[in-house]
């Protein structure tokens, strides 16, 4: 179970308006400045929330960033429904490509991942965000099982991870950039593997024999 991040509960009224103002300002500044340059004072100035309130509720800039990253779990997001597993995975991947490469949008997700390397609390929050996103994405595999596209017992979350993994590898490991064609290929490969039963319990952890 994930550890609760201070300041992420959602009360109503003025308290909620204060929370949203502070955390939205945190996200804006994170995208603009990066984690290392983000301060409580800057969030106070941007949000109009007094810094004493920010310190009382979130303790530090690290606490603000962690709480702000968890806001993603509150967003209304549903996985694509194209009628095929490959099409759905392609849709998920294309969203990733757009989000991480479009000027004006790519700064925040990139800074969020960078923050996770600098802060344990940010890393925990980002992990919780992706646990939530994986769970919502898993429905594309559940539908594929119902259609008979993939075998029962297919690990839905692992299919999503394998489909999205090449996108993140290109963006943050090899640094070679990513295109819609890359997204399409990764989705096609993950869907083919799922149809072949690679992600079922019977094949989980199966070692490849040495050549």
């Amino acid at each position: 179970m994930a550890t609760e991040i201070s300041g992420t509960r959602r009360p109503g009224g003025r308290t909620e308006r204060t929370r949203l103002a502070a955390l939205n300002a945190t996200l804006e500044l994170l995208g603009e400045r990066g984690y290392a340059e983000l301060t409580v004072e800057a969030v106070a100035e941007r949000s109009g929330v007094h810094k004493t309130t920010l310190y009382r509720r979130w303790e530090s800039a690290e606490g603000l960033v962690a709480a702000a990253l968890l806001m993603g779990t509150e967003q209304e997001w549903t996985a694509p429904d194209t009628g095929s597993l490959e099409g759905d995975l392609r849709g998920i991947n294309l969203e990733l490509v757009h989000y991480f490469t479009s000027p004006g949008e790519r700064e925040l997700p990139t800074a969020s991942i960078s923050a996770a390397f600098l802060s344990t609390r940010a890393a925990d929050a980002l992990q919780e965000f992706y646990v939530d996103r994986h769970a919502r994405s898993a429905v594309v595999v559940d539908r594929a099982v119902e259609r008979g596209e993939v075998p029962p017992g297919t690990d839905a979350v692992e299919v999503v991870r394998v489909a999205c993994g090449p996108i993140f590898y290109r963006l943050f490991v090899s640094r070679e950039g990513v295109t819609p064609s890359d997204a399409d290929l990764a989705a096609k490969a993950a869907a083919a593997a799922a149809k072949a039963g690679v992600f079922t319990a019977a094949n989980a952890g199966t070692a490849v024999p040495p050549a």
Side-chain angles (χ1 to χ4, degrees), residues 20-198:
L20 291 176
L23 298 186
N24 282 324
T26 299
L27 291 176
E28 290 175 7
L29 290 165
L30 180 62
E32 292 172 12
R33 302 184 180 186
Y35 176 76
E37 301 298 322
L38 191 147
T39 65
V40 173
E41 288 72 19
V43 173
E45 182 178 355
R46 178 69 61 91
S47 66
V49 178
H50 197 280
K51 67 179 181 180
T52 302
T53 300
L54 299 180
Y55 277 114
R56 184 175 64 250
R57 291 192 64 182
W58 292 285
E59 301 175 354
S60 62
E62 182 182 34
L64 279 164
V65 170
L69 292 180
L70 277 179
M71 287 181 72
T73 63
E74 303 168 16
Q75 296 173 347
E76 293 185 7
W77 182 88
T78 55
D81 186 0
T82 66
S84 74
L85 177 60
E86 183 180 323
D88 292 347
L89 294 175
R90 180 185 299 112
I92 291 171
N93 276 358
L94 288 174
E95 283 190 34
L96 281 176
V97 171
H98 174 78
Y99 195 40
F100 279 97
T101 63
S102 298
E105 291 193 46
R106 65 190 179 197
E107 292 79 11
L108 176 58
T110 301
S112 299
I113 290 176
S114 297
F117 284 94
L118 299 171
S119 160
T120 299
R121 294 178 70 182
D124 289 343
L126 192 64
Q127 182 182 41
E128 189 167 337
F129 167 78
Y130 277 109
V131 167
D132 175 78
R133 190 52 56 94
H134 289 158
R136 296 198 216 185
S137 299
V139 67
V140 305
V141 180
D142 297 337
R143 291 194 298 250
V145 171
E146 294 174 0
R147 290 191 296 261
E149 276 189 87
V150 300
T154 297
D155 187 330
V157 170
E158 195 61 25
V159 173
V160 174
R161 286 196 189 102
V162 170
C164 300
I167 306 299
F168 287 98
Y169 180 88
R170 285 175 173 271
L171 286 169
F172 298 105
V173 179
S174 65
R175 306 292 293 175
E176 58 192 299
V178 68
T179 68
S181 295
D182 300 320
D184 183 66
L185 180 60
K188 187 174 295 185
K195 291 175 183 178
V198 170

